Amino acid sequence: MDVPETVATALDDRPVAGKRCLEAGAGAGNATAALLANGAARVYAVTNDRGHVLTTRRRVGDGGGDTDSDGNGGDDGDGNAATVDDRLAVLEADLRAVPLPDDSVDLITAHGLCNVLDPAALSAVAAELSRVAAPGAHLVVDDYDPLPDDAAIRELVAVENAASELARGRPALTFYPAAFLRRFFAGHGWEFERERTLLEPVPWTESHVSAHADEATAMAGDCPDESGDALAAAARRLAGEIGSESVGRMYGLAFRLPD
């Protein structure tokens, strides 16, 4: 599968070949694909989202994936057999309890992960990533700076967060400044090595905007009637008004654990 340029750029100065790697928060499997393409000896793609598990297995190929009724490898959705790579294991698990031993991986990627973690979850996940990292391991954290005050998408994110707070008791999205994550992971024992801009401005396409509006609307359905109805209406209105927007910055941070 094709690897997004942001992922390729984030990893191009990291020692991947021959390493045991962890993709923390496998979404579509983009970082997993990049790690395998760059010669990783083993890749563990971990996510608690069943849809992301199936997507990564289908797009990248997983020796532990589902089989069909004849015991053969699964289909990729286009009628073609998914390529199996015995270096890959896709694990459905909570990143606050990674199912790997202490000191078991040499390189960790967290691509677009931190923004979906509230501060309490971020602390728990960081502790687990530090636990499974071997001495001298590398960590790559790619995420988004807070949206500018005048960004139209900022208002939709606020509605999504309000619906999430009422429905689940926590925000849906938290955009941490790069400087904050530098200090945060340093507090977990990681030595900062470099920062780079991966994308600026960030394209919020019409499909991305619609997806966030849909998520806000779905969570609003679990809110008290009047507030839920108001939030759902606001999400739909904002999606129509925004359409698409290019704003904000995606950054990449690299750290190393002392030997």
Side-chain angles (χ1 to χ4, degrees):
M1 60 177 281
D2 292 335
V3 174
E5 185 176 349
T6 52
V7 178
T9 300
L11 288 173
D12 67 10
D13 63 346
R14 298 296 95 186
V16 177
K19 302 298 185 180
R20 301 163 297 170
C21 302
L22 165 65
E23 182 186 9
N30 291 321
T32 287
L35 293 169
L36 292 170
N38 288 346
R42 183 69 166 163
V43 178
Y44 301 97
V46 180
T47 175
N48 65 351
D49 187 302
R50 171 54 64 91
H52 292 168
V53 168
L54 298 176
T55 297
T56 299
R57 286 177 175 169
R58 183 178 68 250
R59 296 185 70 207
V60 184
D62 174 19
D66 297 332
T67 57
D68 60 24
S69 59
D70 298 320
N72 298 314
D75 192 277
D76 66 4
D78 297 317
N80 301 312
T83 302
V84 173
D85 192 320
D86 59 10
R87 297 175 295 159
L88 172 63
V90 183
L91 309 177
E92 183 176 359
D94 192 324
L95 284 169
R96 293 170 293 187
V98 178
L100 294 174
D102 295 356
D103 305 337
S104 58
V105 295
D106 307 305
L107 189 150
I108 300 170
T109 65
H111 189 78
L113 170 67
C114 294
N115 69 90
V116 299
L117 301 175
D118 62 39
L122 178 64
S123 294
V125 170
E128 274 295 271
L129 299 187
S130 300
R131 179 186 65 80
V132 302
H138 292 260
L139 169 65
V140 178
V141 177
D142 308 322
D143 230 279
Y144 303 90
D145 273 327
L147 291 165
D149 291 342
D150 60 351
I153 190 69
R154 183 185 176 98
E155 189 173 353
L156 177 57
V157 169
V159 170
E160 185 178 356
N161 277 342
S164 182
E165 289 279 8
L166 287 174
R168 305 185 298 183
R170 58 182 174 83
L173 297 168
T174 304
F175 295 112
Y176 299 97
F180 170 84
L181 289 183
R182 285 177 59 171
R183 295 191 301 269
F184 177 80
F185 281 101
H188 284 268
W190 293 89
E191 296 178 348
F192 174 75
E193 291 198 334
R194 61 104 174 115
E195 176 181 339
R196 59 177 48 163
T197 295
L198 301 178
L199 196 61
E200 189 175 25
V202 176
W204 293 79
T205 66
E206 190 170 346
S207 62
H208 290 144
V209 172
S210 295
H212 283 281
D214 290 345
E215 184 68 12
T217 301
M219 289 186 292
D222 295 327
C223 298
D225 290 343
E226 291 186 3
S227 58
D229 291 345
L231 288 168
R236 290 191 293 268
R237 173 181 60 79
L238 288 167
E241 292 176 356
I242 294 168
S244 63
E245 183 178 29
S246 292
V247 65
R249 181 180 79 114
M250 184 180 195
Y251 56 83
L253 306 176
F255 303 85
R256 189 172 184 272
L257 203 61
D259 292 316

